[in-house]
């Protein structure tokens, strides 16, 4: 997909809280038909090849909203974003909804057939993996906590993210139902 004019990119994961790229404008935004899930492996940012962390991708969910933040960026910014999101993510076209109005834009999605895709796992397992892993961009735990905080600050509800966050924050003993 060649981009030759300023384009909206919809962020639903680290793009919401980590802007290491210039943008012309940003707005809270929503896309429809997708759910955010910690189902993508990360061996370049929040894990390493021998122990991949878990980061979010989008899973098809007809009619369901996914809330995030959109950024209007110049075409050359996509070189940086493509590199940042290279571990399994591909740009796809999407309709982005704003409080008023909408725009055609793009989103980075890691599909089920990419080699780093992990898919679902029990919450306890995901939390243990997240608390254990870290990579060149920092700890996997930090990724989860920053995403949950950013969503809360935007006033969004995301039961999956908040559930993973609460498991990540629980001491291991209480997760296993034991007293300390
Ligand atoms: C995004 O934030 O939109 C993509 C996933 C990520 O980089 O965490």
């Amino acid at each position: 997909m060649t981009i030759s004019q300023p384009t909206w990119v919809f962020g639903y994961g680290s793009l919401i809280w980590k802007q290491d790229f210039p943008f012309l404008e940003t707005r809270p935004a929503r896309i429809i038909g997708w759910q955010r899930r910690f189902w993508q492996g990360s061996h370049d940012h929040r894990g390493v090849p021998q122990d991949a962390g878990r980061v979010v991708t989008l899973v098809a969910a007809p009619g369901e909203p996914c809330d995030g933040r959109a950024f209007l960026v110049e075409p050359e910014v996509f070189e940086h974003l493509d590199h940042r999101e290279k571990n399994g993510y591909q740009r796809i076209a999407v309709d982005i909804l704003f409080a008023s109005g909408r725009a055609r834009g793009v989103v980075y999605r890691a599909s089920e057939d990419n080699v780093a895709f992990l898919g679902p796992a029990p919450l306890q397992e995901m939390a243990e993996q997240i608390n254990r892993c870290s990579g060149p961009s920092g700890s996997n735990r930090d990724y989860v906590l920053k995403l949950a905080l950013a969503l809360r600050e935007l006033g969004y509800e995301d039961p999956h993210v908040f559930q993973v966050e609460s498991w990540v924050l629980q001491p291991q003993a209480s997760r296993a139902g034991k007293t300390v």
Side-chain angles (χ1 to χ4, degrees), residues 10-16 55-56 84-85 89 107-108 143:
F10 178 81
Y12 58 92
S14 66
L15 290 180
I16 296 182
V55 290
V56 285
R84 169 170 161 172
E85 302 296 326
Y89 292 86
V107 63
Y108 286 88
Y143 177 102

Side-chain angles (χ1 to χ4, degrees), residues 2-152:
T2 311
I3 293 180
S4 52
Q5 57 188 29
T7 298
W8 286 99
V9 56
F10 178 81
Y12 58 92
S14 66
L15 290 180
I16 296 182
W17 50 265
K18 183 177 176 184
Q19 288 97 43
D20 56 356
F21 54 91
F23 53 89
L24 303 168
E25 197 184 329
T26 180
R27 295 187 205 168
R30 162 176 283 188
I31 56 173
I32 304 283
W34 301 99
Q35 273 175 342
R36 185 173 12 230
R37 289 287 179 269
F38 281 96
W39 290 4
Q40 173 65 7
S42 173
H43 56 245
D44 60 345
H45 283 300
R46 301 288 165 168
V48 290
Q50 320 81 268
D51 204 7
R54 269 187 185 263
V55 290
V56 285
T57 184
L58 294 174
V59 178
E64 291 293 319
C66 176
D67 292 317
R69 183 173 271 290
F71 303 89
L72 183 63
V73 301
E74 298 277 14
E76 55 272 18
V77 174
F78 283 98
E79 202 181 318
H80 169 73
L81 292 176
D82 288 354
H83 181 75
R84 169 170 161 172
E85 302 296 326
K86 67 185 184 311
N87 190 196
Y89 292 86
Q90 294 202 317
R91 270 189 257 142
I92 58 168
V94 71
D95 282 323
I96 302 175
L97 311 182
F98 304 114
S100 83
R102 60 201 295 153
R104 193 76 178 149
V106 298
V107 63
Y108 286 88
R109 174 177 185 248
S111 62
E112 291 79 355
D113 57 4
N114 85 86
V115 290
F117 189 77
L118 296 174
L123 280 166
Q124 180 169 346
E125 234 172 76
M126 286 205 268
E128 278 165 8
Q129 180 180 2
I130 288 162
N131 278 332
R132 183 182 72 234
C133 288
S134 68
S137 298
S139 74
N140 201 176
R141 180 184 169 96
D142 188 52
Y143 177 102
V144 172
L145 301 184
K146 284 198 168 130
L147 177 56
L149 179 66
L151 293 177
R152 221 170 261 126

